Amino acid sequence: MSNLDNQFLEATFKPTKKIIGGGQHDALALRAKLYSARRFVLDPEMSGFMADLSCAFFSKASEKNSMRDIGAAAVEDARRLALLPFDVTWIEYDGRAKHRHLCAQYVALADRVVGDNNFRDFQKTKEEDVAPVEGWLCWTDPDQTFHAQTISLLNNKYCGVLPVRYHWRIDDRPTGWRRLEGDQRTIPSSWFGKPIADPYLPVGLDYETDQIGFTIAPWSINYNVAPMIEDWKGSMRFLLALQACMNSESVPTVKAYSPRPQGRFSAGGQSRAFLDFTTVKIKLPKNVTSAEYAVRIVKRTRHRRHEVRAFLRKDRQGEKRIQVRSHFRGDASLGWVVHRQYDVEAAPGATNMNNYAGNKQGE
């Protein structure tokens, strides 16, 4: 698999020749984020497993509405767990391995998975027509709003920057993002460049939430980008499912440091070094397919709806502590867990100890 982060890094120095799409306008900003990111590359098997995770919550039920409800509940659970491991994170995967898993396991469910009959037919899409490598450049704002920019390798020559940027939050605080009304799918030109709260495009499912949204790049206002956007519809579901399972420590992965590729490249009149990254692999049990294992993982991470109090946790490298705000997790259809009021009572003998301490101070 090609190493997309380094190809994109090199392309940002020659955006008009190497980048198709809005990256020509955002090349400098995206390059700065890529330099500061902790970079992860999923191997082909892990890339396919990510596809399984994003669809494992769907049953073989024939009713489209049931599929949509199940999918919406699963995505909502995933959203609440989809905390980035680092403030700036690069996740790269094998697009064709992901496509093969979708075709092999979920082609019969494709339309219902995205909740729309006009979704592209997986069987008719040839593997060579799928981007060989794709990546998400993700970052976190101080207010804990997360963003993801999709970048693809096109024809092993150009890098494409999707004219849509995805956003999500893991809590329930109001976002203030604009909202589409009813069946509205036409975006007014005045909304370009501003966040829109709607899960249909990012996750491929319609359900009620203000915590998932997208922004259409202002540069695309004079172009017909609808077909391109349609091809990537639902891709954020893969990112949310991956992050949720990784954060719940349900996915047994192996991470191996990969040193920067040998050699250097010339850009801006200087000789520049390539980037290093971490390769992520999946450890599957013997005699179990990735699809079967994904079902186990998703079932294991499903819990009754419950409140999670605010807490601090270390990042994956143990280098700093991250504040996680109070939020809800779990599937309400499985019931609710109601905690008793947390009351702090004085321990037996505490009064006497206080009196003793006061007497000692007065001596």
Side-chain angles (χ1 to χ4, degrees), residues 2 13 57 100 129-130 145 152 164 198 206 208 212 222 227-228 238 260 280-281 329:
S2 300
F13 288 96
F57 43 73
R100 285 195 294 272
D129 294 331
V130 176
T145 298
S152 301
V164 171
D198 186 81
D206 267 326
E208 190 68 21
I212 294 176
N222 295 321
M228 183 189 300
F238 297 88
R260 65 184 74 234
V280 182
K281 302 179 180 181
R329 290 182 186 169

Side-chain angles (χ1 to χ4, degrees), residues 135-178:
W136 291 297
L137 183 57
C138 308
W139 64 94
T140 310
D141 283 346
D143 68 347
Q144 288 288 287
T145 298
F146 303 97
H147 312 274
Q149 177 69 65
T150 301
I151 297 167
S152 301
L153 180 64
L154 306 176
N155 300 321
N156 291 317
K157 185 178 181 181
Y158 301 101
C159 291
V161 178
L162 190 68
V164 171
R165 186 169 290 172
Y166 301 131
H167 319 286
W168 76 97
R169 296 187 61 89
I170 63 172
D171 56 25
D172 293 316
R173 290 181 297 154
T175 61
W177 300 339
R178 296 167 182 260

Side-chain angles (χ1 to χ4, degrees), residues 31-67:
R31 184 201 309 159
K33 284 184 170 60
L34 189 59
Y35 267 128
S36 63
R38 293 296 294 265
R39 294 170 292 274
F40 299 90
V41 177
L42 312 187
D43 77 346
E45 192 171 19
M46 185 64 193
S47 299
F49 187 69
M50 177 183 65
D52 290 310
L53 287 172
S54 73
C55 299
F57 43 73
F58 290 101
S59 66
K60 304 271 185 195
S62 59
E63 289 199 13
K64 187 172 179 178
N65 290 338
S66 297
M67 297 287 287

Side-chain angles (χ1 to χ4, degrees), residues 213-226:
F214 63 94
T215 297
I216 301 180
W219 65 263
S220 65
I221 195 168
N222 295 321
Y223 296 86
N224 181 20
V225 298

Side-chain angles (χ1 to χ4, degrees), residues 27-304:
L28 186 60
L30 293 175
R31 184 201 309 159
K33 284 184 170 60
L34 189 59
Y35 267 128
S36 63
R38 293 296 294 265
R39 294 170 292 274
F40 299 90
V41 177
L42 312 187
D43 77 346
E45 192 171 19
M46 185 64 193
S47 299
F49 187 69
M50 177 183 65
D52 290 310
L53 287 172
S54 73
C55 299
F57 43 73
F58 290 101
S59 66
K60 304 271 185 195
S62 59
E63 289 199 13
K64 187 172 179 178
N65 290 338
S66 297
M67 297 287 287
R68 218 175 301 178
D69 293 342
I70 293 169
V75 170
E76 182 67 0
D77 261 1
R79 173 186 72 82
R80 298 175 183 279
L81 287 169
L83 182 71
L84 289 177
F86 301 97
D87 289 344
V88 187
T89 306
W90 168 263
I91 300 173
E92 179 178 328
Y93 61 92
D94 187 323
R96 291 177 178 173
K98 166 190 156 186
H99 179 77
R100 285 195 294 272
H101 276 246
L102 290 173
C103 288
Q105 302 292 339
Y106 309 102
V107 64
L109 308 177
D111 290 336
R112 291 188 290 273
V113 163
V114 297
D116 196 289
N117 283 326
N118 66 7
F119 188 72
R120 66 180 183 183
D121 189 337
F122 284 116
Q123 289 177 313
K124 293 180 181 178
T125 302
K126 297 179 181 179
E127 186 172 312
E128 57 264 30
D129 294 331
V130 176
V133 192
E134 292 186 333
W136 291 297
L137 183 57
C138 308
W139 64 94
T140 310
D141 283 346
D143 68 347
Q144 288 288 287
T145 298
F146 303 97
H147 312 274
Q149 177 69 65
T150 301
I151 297 167
S152 301
L153 180 64
L154 306 176
N155 300 321
N156 291 317
K157 185 178 181 181
Y158 301 101
C159 291
V161 178
L162 190 68
V164 171
R165 186 169 290 172
Y166 301 131
H167 319 286
W168 76 97
R169 296 187 61 89
I170 63 172
D171 56 25
D172 293 316
R173 290 181 297 154
T175 61
W177 300 339
R178 296 167 182 260
R179 295 194 61 182
L180 298 176
E181 300 296 333
D183 295 330
Q184 179 185 357
R185 287 289 174 255
T186 302
I187 311 298
S189 58
S190 61
W191 289 23
F192 280 43
K194 300 173 183 176
I196 299 170
D198 186 81
Y200 177 72
L201 182 62
V203 304
L205 289 163
D206 267 326
Y207 75 98
E208 190 68 21
T209 182
D210 289 337
Q211 311 303 312
I212 294 176
F214 63 94
T215 297
I216 301 180
W219 65 263
S220 65
I221 195 168
N222 295 321
Y223 296 86
N224 181 20
V225 298
M228 183 189 300
I229 294 174
E230 187 74 12
D231 279 345
W232 271 268
K233 184 173 68 178
S235 65
M236 185 179 174
R237 188 176 74 253
F238 297 88
L239 175 60
L240 294 179
L242 176 69
Q243 288 300 314
C245 287
M246 295 289 284
N247 286 334
S248 66
E249 298 181 350
S250 297
V251 180
T253 57
V254 175
K255 299 182 180 66
Y257 174 75
S258 300
R260 65 184 74 234
Q262 292 182 350
R264 301 171 73 87
F265 66 95
S266 177
Q270 298 182 27
S271 177
R272 302 179 185 273
F274 288 107
L275 302 171
D276 56 0
F277 55 92
T278 297
T279 301
V280 182
K281 302 179 180 181
I282 180 71
K283 290 177 63 177
L284 291 174
K286 292 183 179 179
N287 303 319
V288 177
T289 67
S290 62
E292 294 170 338
Y293 195 54
V295 172
R296 293 186 192 177
I297 293 293
V298 171
K299 286 183 177 179
R300 191 185 306 166
T301 58
R302 289 189 69 199
H303 304 283
R304 289 184 296 165

Side-chain angles (χ1 to χ4, degrees), residues 306-346:
H306 61 283
E307 183 181 6
V308 179
R309 301 173 72 190
F311 63 94
L312 290 171
R313 76 168 179 85
K314 289 185 177 180
D315 62 30
R316 290 191 176 277
Q317 303 302 314
E319 296 174 353
K320 64 178 181 178
R321 300 182 73 81
I322 300 173
Q323 171 71 40
V324 180
R325 295 186 175 89
S326 175
H327 58 280
F328 286 92
R329 290 182 186 169
D331 188 347
S333 67
L334 301 178
W336 281 78
V337 176
V338 180
H339 296 289
R340 292 189 305 170
Q341 180 70 29
Y342 291 99
D343 291 325
V344 179
E345 298 179 357

